[in-house]
Amino acid sequence: MKLFFWQNINSIHQSEFFRVLSSCPSFEVSLLVTEKINPKRIEMGWGIPAIEGLNLVDLSMDNEKFKNIIEENNGGQAIHIFSGIGAFPKVQKALIYAIKKKCRVGIFTEPYDFRGIKGFLRRLKGHFNRVKYEKKIEFILTTGKIGTAQFIEFGFPSKKVFEWAYSVEKSENIISENSSNCFRIIFAGSLIRRKGFDILCSALQKLQNQNISFLANLYCLKKHDVEKKDSIIQDYNLNQNTNLYPFLPNLELRKKISEHDVLVLPSRHDGWGAVVSESLAEGTPVIVSEKCGASTLITDFNG
């Protein structure tokens, strides 16, 4: 069986999945990427994974090669899985052409952000896509319970909708035991409202006011934000218990996560939230908003 994954980039958050899938003798796996990785992602610590056994095809500089690939692989022994519906222009172009050539087609997608007016329009788009594509798509792989609920709401049959996840590389770090009485908190994400940075800061203020001993290390600064570090701390009324640091390369961040007692991700919306997967892989517990797709991995233990 040939499996073709059509995506915008080669993501570190699917490398382990592709590595394992490519090692299965029953599958011939190809990853077709339509864009170069964004420099902003590189600044945030993303790398470009190399995966043995995976056929990686770079279509970023070729606008027509995708047609040949689809035409040569449109039989029953080939399945084409596309990243989103209308999410990325070149991927969407390939999806439409694959449907035209009567290929077997699946979709991998994050859930929509339904907040605000744009969210209302995305909800309408979801219903429109169901009417347009439902009979032509064999399955939907969507991240977390939020995604499965959305696509069933749109009208896709539940037998076609499957809960999916981003995967991360196995840990090579040794879990660091906390020998102090200071509780160690880590956050890794952008200084944006969607990631809930203000929610996190409000929670840290409450810990300060209760004189709880903690150390919060927040890896959240881009290069142009580093000089603003002191003003950000002052704006949020944080004290010396909280430190702001630049983004780290992914492997370095993973090691830092393993050295903390808990990772916090309070996002108002996250299609998945791969740092949750990374933290769990390091053996570090997670506090995460239910608005994150990755919250499906978390169990609430009440003693």
Side-chain angles (χ1 to χ4, degrees):
M1 175 68 72
K2 293 183 178 182
L3 302 177
F4 295 85
F5 290 85
W6 299 79
Q7 299 185 173
N8 61 321
I9 62 169
N10 182 7
S11 170
I12 59 174
H13 297 138
Q14 290 176 284
S15 58
E16 180 67 7
F17 165 70
F18 284 128
R19 181 171 288 109
V20 173
L21 190 62
S22 298
S23 69
C24 296
S26 301
F27 300 115
E28 180 182 328
V29 186
S30 297
L31 172 61
L32 306 103
V33 296
T34 61
E35 302 172 20
K36 301 292 186 183
I37 188 168
N38 192 312
K40 292 182 180 179
R41 292 292 191 185
I42 295 176
E43 185 180 355
M44 292 174 65
W46 287 37
I48 302 175
I51 303 168
E52 184 177 352
L54 176 67
N55 178 31
L56 180 61
V57 182
D58 185 349
L59 299 175
S60 61
M61 302 300 291
D62 192 323
N63 292 325
E64 298 299 324
K65 186 177 179 179
F66 76 93
K67 292 183 179 179
N68 294 333
I69 295 171
I70 290 172
E71 289 168 359
E72 293 169 4
N73 298 280
N74 64 351
Q77 290 302 307
I79 300 177
H80 298 261
I81 302 101
F82 295 88
S83 183
I85 302 176
F88 308 103
K90 289 186 177 180
V91 175
Q92 179 67 10
K93 192 174 179 180
L95 167 62
I96 293 171
Y97 196 72
I99 290 173
K100 178 181 177 181
K101 293 298 179 179
K102 302 188 184 305
C103 294
R104 297 181 65 186
V105 168
I107 300 294
F108 166 77
T109 181
E110 296 181 2
Y112 293 98
D113 183 354
F114 282 164
R115 295 175 299 153
I117 295 177
K118 289 184 178 180
F120 174 75
L121 296 175
R122 292 187 188 107
R123 191 185 296 269
L124 291 179
K125 178 183 176 182
H127 287 281
F128 173 79
N129 285 338
R130 193 273 305 172
V131 173
K132 186 174 182 179
Y133 294 109
E134 188 269 313
K135 293 183 179 179
K136 300 163 185 175
I137 293 173
E138 288 193 24
F139 56 86
I140 302 279
L141 308 176
T142 180
T143 51
K145 291 182 173 62
I146 299 172
T148 56
Q150 284 186 5
F151 281 89
I152 291 172
E153 175 194 327
F154 295 151
F156 286 91
S158 58
K159 64 181 180 180
K160 282 190 175 185
V161 182
F162 300 89
E163 187 174 347
W164 200 246
Y166 286 113
S167 59
V168 298
E169 302 284 352
K170 296 178 182 177
S171 174
E172 297 182 358
N173 299 311
I174 298 174
I175 297 176
S176 173
E177 293 190 10
N178 191 351
S179 57
S180 71
N181 294 322
C182 184
F183 194 70
R184 303 167 300 181
I185 302 166
I186 187 169
F187 166 82
S190 300
L191 296 176
I192 56 176
R193 179 175 171 78
R194 182 173 64 81
K195 287 291 183 179
F197 182 76
D198 58 314
I199 298 173
L200 174 61
C201 291
S202 177
L204 294 176
Q205 289 172 22
K206 291 180 180 179
L207 294 181
Q208 291 174 180
N209 295 338
Q210 296 177 30
N211 294 317
I212 294 174
S213 179
F214 73 92
L215 176 65
N217 293 318
L218 317 181
Y219 293 87
C220 56
L221 300 177
K222 297 181 181 179
K223 289 181 180 179
H224 64 270
D225 290 326
V226 173
E227 295 180 356
K228 304 176 185 176
K229 178 177 67 173
D230 293 338
S231 63
I232 293 172
I233 289 176
Q234 186 176 10
D235 289 345
Y236 285 100
N237 296 315
L238 301 173
N239 63 19
Q240 67 275 10
N241 294 341
T242 300
N243 301 302
L244 273 63
Y245 295 106
F247 289 111
L248 290 174
N250 189 254
L251 291 179
E252 293 182 33
L253 175 64
R254 292 279 297 267
K255 187 173 188 309
K256 290 293 183 183
I257 291 173
S258 73
E259 297 170 354
H260 286 75
D261 298 304
V262 68
L263 177 135
V264 181
L265 184 64
S267 298
R268 290 180 169 86
H269 173 81
D270 247 320
W272 181 247
V275 71
V276 171
S277 300
E278 292 169 341
S279 188
L280 296 177
E282 296 299 336
T284 301
V286 173
I287 298 173
V288 60
S289 163
E290 64 180 3
K291 301 299 183 181
C292 293
S295 63
T296 192
L297 301 177
I298 306 303
T299 301
D300 181 11
F301 291 98
N302 292 311

